[in-house]
Amino acid sequence: MEQLRQQQENPAQRFDRPPVPDSGLYSFRNEHDACGVGLVADLNNVPSHKIVTMGLTVLKRLMHRGAAGGDPDTGDGAGLLLSLPDEFFRKHVKKLPEAGKYGVAMLFGGVGHEAEIEKIVAAEGGRVIAWRNVPTVPGKIGRAARETCPVIRQLFVGGESYADQSALERKLFVMRRLIEKTVPEAYVCSMSSRSIIYKGLLLATQLENFYTDLGDASFKSPLALVHQRYSTNTFPTWSLAHPFRYLAHNGEINTLRGNLNSLTSREPHLASELFGEDMPKILPLVAPGQSDSACLDNMFELLVAGGRDLAHSLLMLMPQAWGKNYHLGRDVRGFFEYHSALMEPWDGPAAVAASDGVNACAILDRNGLRPARYTLCKDGLFVLASETGVLDLDPADAVRKGRLRPGEILYLDLENHRLLLDGEIKSRVARRRPYRRWVEENKISVNGLFSEVTPGEVPGNLTYMQKLFGYSREDVEILIRPMAASGHEPTGSMGNDAALAVLSEKPQLLFNYFKQLFAQVTNPPIDPIREELVMSLLTYIGNPGNILAEKPQYARLVKLQRPVLTDDEIGRLEQIGSNDFRAKVLPMEFPAGGDGRMLERALKRLATDAVAAVQENNRILILSDRNPSPGSTPIPSLLATAAVNRALVNAGLRPGVGLVVQSGEVREIMHFALLIGYGATAVNPYLALQTVTALSQEGIIAADPVIAASNYINAVDKGLLKVMSKMGISTLRSYRSGQVFEAVGLSQELIDEFLPGTASRIGGIGLDEIAGEANARRKEADQSDNPLLPDGGVYQYRRDGEQHLWTPASLAAFRQGVQTGDYAKYKVYSKLIDDQAGHLCTLRGLFDFAETAPIPIEEVESVESIVKRFVSGAMSLGSLSPEAHEAIAIAMNTLGGMSNSGEGGEDAIRYTPGPNGEDRSSAIKQIASGRFGVTIDYLRHAKDLQIKMAQGAKPGEGGQLPGHKVDKYIARLRHSMPNVTLISPPPHHDIYSIEDLAQLIYDLKNANPRARVSVKLVAEVGVGTIAAGVAKAHSDVVLIAGHDGGTGASPLTSIKHAGLPWELGLAETQQTLVLNHLRDRIRIQVDGQLKTGRDVIVGALLGAEEFGFATTVLVCLGCVMMRKCHENSCPAGIATQDHELRKRFAGKPEYVMNFLRFVAQEVREYLAQLGLHSLEAACGRSDLLKMNRAIDFYKARNLDFANMLRPAMGPAIHCDDAAAKEPLENYDRRELLPELTKHVKNGKKIVIDRKVCNVDRTVGTELSGDIADIYGEKGLPEDTIRVRFTGCAGQSFGAFLAPGVTFELSGEANDYVGKGISGGKIIIRPAAEATFKASQNVVAGNVIGYGGTSGKVFLCGQAGERFAIRNSGVTLVTEGVGDHGCEYMTGGRVVVLGSTGVNFAAGMTGGLAYVYDETGDFDLRCNVGTVDLETVEHGSGDEAELLALLREHAESTGSEKAKAILADWVNSRPKFVKVFPVEYRQALGRMAREDAEAVDRRKEDN
Amino acid sequence: MTQRIHDIYRPVDQRVRDFEEVEREFSYDELNEQAKRCMNCGIPFCHGSGCPLGNVIPEINAAAAAGNWELAWRILSGTSFFPEFTARICPALCEGSCTDGIDTDPVMIRQLEKTVIETAFKKGYVKPLTPKTRKEQSVAVIGAGPAGLSAAAALNLAGYNVTVYEKNATAGGLLRYGIPDFKLSKKVIERRIDLMKEAGINFEFNTEVGVDVSGEYLHKRYDAVILSVGTPLARDLKAPGRELGGIHFALELLQGQNRVNSGECEELPISAAGKNVLVIGGGDTGSDCVGTSVRHGAKSILQIEIMPKPPEDRSPSTPWPDWPYLLRTSSSHKEGGDRRWNLATKRFLGENGHVTGVEVVTVEWEFTLLGRPVKFKEVPNSTEILPADLVLLAMGFTGVAPDGLTAELGLKVDERGRVQSDPKRGIFVTGDSARGASLVVWAMADGKKSAEEADRYLSGGE
């Protein structure tokens, strides 16, 4: 009855489209999800109901990794995959054939389409046995879930007619695909004779109550695969819950679009004897409207159905990194190399568990970015999950406690009752076929090809060609020259205030209309320098299309180590000569002066020619503009590439063809990235290489032409790695065709025709304008015989160059206005900025206000009230001088706004009033990836704790403060040493996924329950959904930063080409949050080149409540936009630590206050004009904005802001500050504080005992905060408060632990133990009852001690990846670590009494590590880029230190390993390797010298 | 850190004995170091708001710092036709807005410019600026001062047939006849005029339009006319005794000296030798009179000014990057004579029809908050008599007379003597004639701009 009602409510529910239509800038395809996965199995392979129950328990224990949306009772999704419960079904369905001879489809919806479905089943040879209504209890689930709850049924299909169960499975797959294609009203969760899936839009706790089947004792399975979902958005659907047919996935596939594009290009080639005629029925393989995980599942399913086993298929899709830094067997390497040509990696953070209902396996991505811990018990019970401790097992039962390491796989062979580990599986799979020999015998080796770089030869018409392709002096001087001189991409500083390409009056290259996308929150960027080993630029020509077959000739490939080709290399490529790799050159050009139609015709011809060339057996196509014919204009290479690529894909010809682009346009890294991102195999930047040679020959750079050329190519390689890494993509093969760009200012028509799938949200120019700009370049080249190129003016102001907001005139008026308090002067400035009619720069410059009835200005909120909504941008002490940093804090505090500490800690003296009673403390304390100076004391002294996920000027990148900028003061605040380089990693290493962010937010709320938490994001397509995820993670504020935000140092590529204008990001965020009913929970802050009251008003109307200013604040203080912050040479004494230059600082807090009051005054004027009484009333009123049609600029004419300005309608369009926040619920309040608070106050010693389990997270952090409140940085004396825990600690155990607190844990712990530890002590050892050998098992998870500043951690057992990462002063001892141990460490001591993973000490610049190297091959796994390896000498200070640590470790943990080492010290000492950072050694030497000099001076004084 | 070099002149005792340029030679090493002081600003105010021509100064400096003087010249000549003039006599607005000048001394931009262009001449980089193709249309330029020359060069380069009409015997206008040789050697002008002639520009000297040939004729004969006759009218001081002998306009002295130097005439029309010289007016022309009088061997020299003495450092009324209001001391001031401020001239005293002294009164100024003088009043009982037997009036220029040529061409002249263009009829007024008396660099910039307007007019607004 209940179901009948639902059916009436949802008559037309369809599963082939999103649950809500796209609206405004919101698009369903931007959703991300992440979560927790688990796998429970009985190696005895005995189906039991206990396993089902355990699966459900695991789910409940992972609930904190999931999320709920606007409706708190509706989860984002949960589900289980189980072996087909034959016994149970036999009870409910009569006349079932024997097990293995029938299949079951689990169906959502499809009511009324039974006949169609049955027809499909019958047509494929199946026999419809019965339909079964799956009993459900909708009363037990959330409202939103109930409203969309489909009818859930099972269809039983008899498969007696097939040869065997595999054939039945394949047919069930074909049937399912046909059902999906013909009955969009139905969703098939699973259709198999081996497995079944129960899932839904549920919270983990609701699953068993909703599906009563699961409670039935006869419902038995030997395995359960479970998944708890966290979707960024709140339109999760029933169908997108995991598991899918085979797998459950925690993480994100960053390369999805590229993978799907490649799949599309391969589909025409797919053929398999197993499928035979059925192949077309399952194509297209991937149904629309799916999540990344669902797509991965589809691909996996195909490979499995095609005959590969589970492990083989997973290894093909998610290969480990197999570059030279990995020590692999030759067969295994051969396996990966062979398959790398068949399939590009599906890349991104991922823990995947998969099962076919019989066996199961699990794998981790190559970077190890998701956790996966497992326990094997004596009785054969196996549990693997995102966390350990998800089942309460008797510690005495455990045989083995382990974890999946990066790229590792494990396999549960239930049929043979075995757990197979990584090495065995990979060797077995690698020897299935002679892959290694296939590769060796077929690889194309052309003598000398790509062995060394040959420089370009300077042609006579170099300048002409440069002009033809729009070169400016800046291109040569600022971009190419540093690349050729030093092999690095150039660096710049401050934000980008130049015109968007579509608003520029200068002819723009098509490249400039694109912006790079980047990873934030839902997936982490990679460090392309320190973690280069996981990345690869390797690429092939000649890839086979049919991935379902395995043939030796599939290894017949041209292998390119990098995608940049020199002239010489391209020449050789043309002459490989052998018949199977013939090359053909196709010119990219259209008639000079031709319009869009002529350009289109030329593109079509080029595409047709390309298809014909491939049909004539050419395997390498070279699209070239090298020899432009007279009377023609080059076609923008990106357009030509995309058009040809698309034509080849459509013709089913793409996979085997190498598409090489030979273009004079290409010079910057962005250009290469775009061409490859839209399908190019390789690129020959001949003109750039010629320019490099010319620079060398003219003596402008010191390098000779060969070195210069290889420098340039190296810089491009590194730059490409960086662009890929920003998106979290490891291999060029996955990046290709990935289209990870957003277009700004290109018309939808153009996008649909040539660049489909690319976001372009405000319309814009088409072929006519593109042709026009290309012709303009040609005309300029033809007409002018000036030997000089135009000056450019993009990076630096030039009078006849690109338009900028900051000009000499605007800056002068600004400076004079704020320094003298002259509002009229300020108005001169604001008019210059706001009135862009003559010099369009920004999108908001094209806005106008709607006509409304004004009100008298007296009725408008006061200046004093408005300025409270203003904050200053995050600028660290370190990037700024202390004088400037404090001046800003004082100004903001005086106004009642907030200043932002930036990343780099803060001097505790600033927490007390200054000499004149001024408040110098930064109200906003930033938590960035480097965690410099982030202590419990720092966190407690904040009003706002801001997590910086990305920075406008360089989203997806880390930072570096070079040693010479680190003086004593900075070093003290950052808990490092003077002159030691400090590196901030690209990602937060405790945030690889949205649920991790939720965890960090929780950590911070515990650290300082009084402060609000904000999350800083950078605008890009999809930022709205990420903001929704952030809101669901209980952040109080989300900051949307524009692409144009400032920086102290960033690669120019990033400043210029990454991120979107805030107008777009803000509008999308507002619309998405309102649509999701989340808007009232969270405040929106905006920043990015906010300059005037008008900017503030536009921001408010688009949805912002708070407004950030950074560049302007610096200009108030005297900044003159040198754009040289990265050189420490700031002439205004602002962005420098140089003591002489700092004396020049002449800024005053009053200047900043003048400015912000002027802005507020201007805001009032606009509010009055708009008839609004307050800024709050303006918030979200985008109906008051319209496009200013009076500005008639040819390129802007087709811009369409309708979607952007569409006001979001919902119950709340701004934050409801009055709404009660959920009170903080934590372990400390429950278990610790009641007893310990008085001891915190009186400082008396106490010891207590407590139990913990994995859901108890962030234990001890609020306690620590309370200690910091009273005692500040120094905390309590050691061991004042001791807590002895038993059990399995949840994440962030002892995070930010304060001095005086000691945590002893018997059991094990999850990730982030001792995160940010600030002086406390943590001891973890296995439970007393445990029988396994502690040193060979895992006792704590990943990222232990991240960003800790002081304190001690002793782990009796092994830890996971990234142990002691960004350690600034903590002492840690452990008995084995995973990959990337001691990464970015700048201080402290680490002792590892066992093996390490790869890349140990990457980017380590300070502190010391001692590694017990029993096998003598530690040096192979250590990244020796910044460190030296030494022995611990007998009688040395090192020895004494090490011995003391070993003794303390043995004493506190009872470590057998430590005892054994100590017992045989004479023989163990030589096995210790001391890891000594080079810079640290130098800094120590310098300090010793200075000390000696000081002693000498004192002597002299005496 | 490298400091700006302040010692830029030849020794006083040496330089006052001749009319050669007062500035000393700089070594390449010296200037190379100076060029490195340039910070290559993100917003180069020198280029963006200082220099009227928009010289791309940071790039010129960068090239100079790298020792690539040829590249430096190429970039310089991309914006300026006559860098050798501005490099000598421009007050260097660029340096006033140099970022380095906020806290320390600005970069020696002018000196670097001079080295760049002189090196270019020395090495033979400088070639006549000839057009790629020659057009049919022709343009007449009236007046061969810096504005006219600049317009002529631009139009010629654009392919027009250009004829320059000049009433004097040679080209240069005030550059030639006003500015003393010790600041700008006339060889420098000759060198440029020769190049312009080579480039195909036709000069008609000794031809005063409106007298020797009618304006109307030019307007008919040429497709466009550029009027650049400067501001010929010097400001007079209408005080009792003005008719006395020995009271001259500054230009009479300066022009005479220049003509003698170049051999245009043999004898000085006015000499300061042995005289008590009183220069009224504290500007550049006044200081040129001082330097010239020193060289003549005057008995005493006093320069007076009604305005108060400007501050030694940048006045708060002209915050950076504005052109600073401050006390300027020229090379001439260091050669001799005195300067006094706050003196208003009441009348001239004389004997035998010749001036013997000037009666002045001290004035007191009222200042704005930021230190700018706005109003003055005479201080009672402060009259004094300054002895003088040569008085030079250097009080600026008043503009163009509304009669004569302007009337003939039917051009409007405003109350401040500024002539307005009539673009529809192809008449373009440029330089001081249009702007009012100003700097050479503005004249050059205006000339270029008017040439662009004329080009648009002539090519049909394309």
Side-chain angles (χ1 to χ4, degrees), chain A residues 1464-1477:
Chain A
D1464 187 20
W1465 183 243
V1466 179
N1467 289 310
S1468 351
R1469 183 189 48 78
K1471 291 184 188 151
F1472 274 97
V1473 179
K1474 177 188 176 192
V1475 181
F1476 201 171

Side-chain angles (χ1 to χ4, degrees), chain A residues 473 700 782-785 787-788 791 795-799 806-808 811-812 815-816 1120-1124 1129 1131-1132 1141 1144, chain B residues 39-45 47-49 51-54 56 58-59 68 71 74-75 99-100 102-104 132 319-322:
Chain A
R473 298 211 290 274
I700 292 173
D782 284 347
Q783 286 187 345
S784 148
D785 55 357
L788 275 183
D791 52 20
Y795 300 97
Q796 293 175 314
Y797 173 87
R798 290 292 181 266
R799 197 186 279 201
W806 283 120
T807 61
L811 194 138
R815 190 181 153 93
Q816 295 169 3
V1120 284
M1121 298 298 285
M1122 288 293 298
R1123 296 182 185 273
K1124 291 271 171 3
S1129 62
L1141 292 171
R1144 291 184 175 197
Chain B
M39 300 186 287
N40 194 6
C41 300
I43 299 181
F45 286 82
H47 151 83
S49 72
C51 181
L53 289 163
V56 196
E59 292 184 43
N68 192 341
L71 177 63
R74 248 193 266 150
I75 297 166
T99 308
D100 234 349
I102 300 177
D103 293 281
T104 58
K132 221 175 174 181
W320 182 88
D322 292 357

Side-chain angles (χ1 to χ4, degrees), chain A residues 1023-1077:
Chain A
V1023 72
T1025 53
I1026 293 172
V1030 166
K1032 288 164 74 175
H1034 302 286
S1035 181
D1036 303 294
V1037 184
V1038 62
L1039 163 56
I1040 304 297
H1043 66 123
D1044 42 8
T1047 172
S1050 291
L1052 286 178
T1053 313
S1054 311
I1055 295 180
K1056 219 64 206 172
H1057 300 297
L1060 271 289
W1062 60 254
E1063 293 93 318
L1064 277 163
L1066 176 60
E1068 185 192 332
T1069 300
Q1070 169 75 4
Q1071 292 171 359
T1072 309
L1073 289 175
V1074 171
L1075 211 56
N1076 281 279
H1077 299 191

Side-chain angles (χ1 to χ4, degrees), chain A residues 710-766:
Chain A
S710 63
N711 279 347
Y712 174 79
I713 290 171
N714 277 339
V716 174
D717 286 352
K718 283 186 213 163
L720 277 173
L721 287 176
K722 181 157 250 176
V723 173
M724 283 155 52
S725 72
K726 273 187 237 180
M727 195 58 210
I729 295 176
S730 314
T731 71
L732 188 79
R733 282 168 290 124
S734 316
Y735 185 79
R736 175 168 304 113
S737 297
Q739 303 184 327
V740 280
F741 298 93
E742 173 168 1
V744 181
L746 297 182
S747 70
Q748 200 54 48
E749 207 185 341
L750 180 81
I751 295 281
D752 291 344
E753 178 68 28
F754 297 101
L755 310 149
T758 307
S760 179
R761 299 182 287 172
I762 51 168
I765 64 165

Side-chain angles (χ1 to χ4, degrees), chain A residues 444 746 757 864 894 901 908 1032 1126 1143 1251 1331 1396 1408 1418:
Chain A
I444 293 192
L746 297 182
E864 277 59 41
T894 313
S901 65
K1032 288 164 74 175
H1126 53 293
K1143 286 182 194 156
K1251 281 194 162 49
T1331 55
T1396 70
L1408 291 176
F1418 169 68

Side-chain angles (χ1 to χ4, degrees), chain A residues 871-884:
Chain A
V871 299
S872 70
M875 296 175 283
S876 73
L877 205 158
S879 71
L880 300 190
S881 64
E883 294 80 8

